[in-house]
Amino acid sequence: MRYELLVGLRYTRSRKRAQGRNRFISFISLVSMLGTGLGIAALIVVLSVMNGFQEELRTRILGVASHIQISGPGGELESWQQVADEAGRHPDVRAAAPYVQEQAMLSYEQAVRGTLVRGVLPDAEEKVADFARYMRAGRFDALQPGRFGIVLGRDLAFALRVQVGDKVTLIAPQGLVTPAAVLPRVKQFEVVGIFEAGMYEYDSGLALVHMQDAQVLYRLDERVSGVRLKLDDLFAAPRVARELVGSMESDLAVSDWTRSHANFFRAVALEKTMMTIILFLIVAVAAFNIVSTLVMAVQEKYADIAILRTLGASPGSIMAIFVLQGAIIGLVGLAGGVIGGLLLANNLDVIIPALETLTGATLWNKEVYYISELPSKVLPSDVVTIVSVSFVLTLVATLYPSWRASRVNPAEALRYE
């Protein structure tokens, strides 16, 4: 073992016979280790929860929306089958489904709510969305042409106070022109299902009907609003959308999920970035503790440094001793923080209920967040970044005190010894 490492280890360890400032320096070293560990653990847990939220949000949105949406000019598409076949020839496109999308009012007894009506083909829609998985009552495939059935979001059904089997009145904005006046188009629909996607935007404002019923109601004949696509890789949506724009007719509008729901993901990404910066400040505080620890150690070890210099130690070796001492403090804190952070992040589903039982407080309200448990996803890239940046901060914190140690003059240090 090189003597620099040996001396650095001896300075780091707390010895039973250490007295006074030596023991206090050892205590400060322990505090620095704990501070580094807590900062690392907090970073891992918070970023894992943010990753879990981001994935949960993406899953819920894309379970109702589509990866790519192709719409015609003026919101109407004539030959949707040709467009679907052309888009389906792209190697990254897994499935395609037509849709009709219009505004409407739903009423039941005294309750009235505005909603977005989406006409779908159940068999094709199941290939691009997950409505069948989100059904809480009734069946998604109960949407049959000519039956005029309707599937409502959970919050929308709750606001209208309807259940499966009730009949709601749908009022279309397109009116019937009569000699007396323009009358709204009204049609009764039977509630055949209720879904809950976990996104308030959809649960409170989306109603599904069969596409043929929507075409009859809105007088579209064989026209549709557009075609929805599902890809093998959802993150390839921007690239695939650009390629489809170049290969399809110029009057078609192609939009991917990163544009139509950009605000959600930008908000989560911004929050994740700010939380990362804030929590890295905890690690920076721990690094300042390492600075103070090494400064006190250098002051305490003036005589030892002078003796080592008189024995032939170079300034670089003296600097290496204290760099190693600070690095050891940082590495121990890093190891403890990574282990603790991974244990916490991977067991939040057990820890949160235990804390709720212990404190009697509700830490995670399922009615508010629409998620049964706190989501958590540990990304190896996040852990590597956290460890790398934290270790660099630790090394930077050791440079100034170590440089001061290497500048000690042996004659001055031993003058009063």
Side-chain angles (χ1 to χ4, degrees):
M1 182 183 297
R2 291 181 60 87
Y3 76 89
E4 293 96 338
L5 180 58
L6 176 63
V7 176
L9 287 171
R10 286 173 62 88
Y11 285 172
T12 305
R13 289 188 310 227
S14 175
R15 299 173 61 85
K16 292 183 179 179
R17 64 173 180 269
Q19 300 292 332
R21 276 184 85 179
N22 277 340
R23 186 169 291 279
F24 181 69
I25 293 171
S26 298
F27 173 74
I28 296 297
S29 300
L30 178 61
V31 170
S32 302
M33 293 178 188
L34 292 175
T36 303
L38 287 174
I40 299 298
L43 268 169
I44 291 175
V45 172
V46 170
L47 291 185
S48 299
V49 171
M50 295 300 296
N51 292 331
F53 266 119
Q54 198 167 16
E55 184 178 33
E56 191 74 22
L57 184 64
R58 185 186 304 120
T59 301
R60 290 177 182 271
I61 287 177
L62 297 182
V64 178
S66 57
H67 294 171
I68 293 179
Q69 185 170 288
I70 303 174
S71 56
E76 294 185 1
L77 188 62
E78 293 281 352
S79 54
W80 70 264
Q81 188 63 58
Q82 180 182 347
V83 173
D85 293 340
E86 187 176 351
R89 285 194 288 271
H90 193 285
D92 291 324
V93 176
R94 182 189 303 176
Y99 72 95
V100 172
Q101 191 157 290
E102 297 286 350
Q103 299 286 337
M105 296 282 289
L106 288 176
S107 68
Y108 180 76
E109 296 180 350
Q110 301 300 318
V112 179
R113 288 292 184 275
T115 185
L116 186 68
V117 176
R118 182 184 296 173
V120 299
L121 295 176
D123 293 339
E125 188 70 13
E126 287 183 358
K127 298 177 182 178
V128 299
D130 298 324
F131 282 110
R133 188 180 66 172
Y134 294 143
M135 296 300 293
R136 295 294 177 263
R139 293 166 47 206
F140 183 61
D141 57 8
L143 293 175
Q144 300 295 330
R147 181 182 175 181
F148 290 97
I150 189 169
V151 175
L152 303 178
R154 174 185 174 275
D155 293 333
L156 181 58
F158 180 78
L160 293 172
R161 293 182 173 84
V162 297
Q163 298 178 350
V164 174
D166 292 337
K167 292 185 180 294
V168 297
T169 301
L170 190 149
I171 306 170
Q174 290 86 347
L176 293 172
V177 179
T178 66
V182 178
L183 302 177
R185 304 197 68 207
V186 178
K187 181 65 180 178
Q188 274 201 332
F189 280 77
E190 179 185 354
V191 179
V192 297
I194 296 173
F195 72 88
E196 181 183 7
M199 290 292 297
Y200 183 77
E201 176 185 358
Y202 299 122
D203 291 344
S204 64
L206 181 62
L208 303 174
V209 301
H210 195 277
M211 190 178 76
Q212 291 184 17
D213 294 342
Q215 288 172 329
V216 171
L217 179 67
Y218 292 100
R219 294 182 172 182
L220 294 174
D221 297 327
E222 296 298 322
R223 300 187 303 277
V224 299
S225 298
V227 175
R228 289 149 47 84
L229 305 179
K230 186 172 185 178
L231 309 181
D232 291 322
D233 180 12
L234 64 92
F235 295 106
R239 174 182 59 82
V240 175
R242 290 193 300 269
E243 293 173 357
L244 290 176
V245 168
S247 64
M248 304 183 77
E249 298 177 14
S250 58
D251 59 347
L252 296 178
V254 182
S255 176
D256 64 89
W257 66 272
T258 62
R259 292 183 180 181
S260 55
H261 299 89
N263 290 339
F264 286 106
F265 300 104
R266 286 174 183 169
V268 174
L270 178 61
E271 187 175 358
K272 181 179 177 181
T273 301
M274 295 308 299
M275 289 300 297
T276 302
I277 294 173
I278 292 171
L279 291 173
F280 262 124
L281 293 178
I282 299 177
V283 181
V285 170
F288 280 116
N289 285 338
I290 294 175
V291 172
S292 61
T293 300
L294 294 182
V295 168
M296 295 177 65
V298 169
Q299 293 294 329
E300 181 67 24
K301 305 299 182 182
Y302 254 40
D304 294 3
I305 295 169
I307 292 172
L308 288 173
R309 289 295 309 278
T310 57
L311 291 174
S314 65
S317 296
I318 300 299
M319 189 172 180
I321 290 172
F322 290 95
V323 169
L324 285 169
Q325 182 181 355
I328 291 167
I329 295 172
L331 285 173
V332 173
L334 282 172
V338 169
I339 294 172
L342 291 176
L343 289 175
L344 287 172
N346 291 318
N347 294 279
L348 285 176
D349 56 336
V350 177
I351 295 172
I352 296 298
L355 289 176
E356 289 180 339
T357 303
L358 184 64
T359 61
T362 302
L363 303 178
W364 187 256
N365 193 332
K366 302 173 186 177
E367 298 297 327
V368 173
Y369 298 104
Y370 294 102
I371 303 174
S372 59
E373 60 186 24
L374 188 65
S376 178
K377 182 181 181 181
V378 180
L379 294 180
S381 59
D382 285 345
V383 177
V384 171
T385 301
I386 291 169
V387 171
S388 302
V389 174
S390 301
F391 185 64
V392 169
L393 286 175
T394 301
L395 288 181
V396 170
T398 65
L399 294 180
Y400 176 72
S402 302
W403 177 79
R404 286 291 303 273
S406 69
R407 304 289 294 177
V408 170
N409 188 330
E412 292 292 332
L414 296 174
R415 175 176 297 178
Y416 301 108
E417 293 292 333

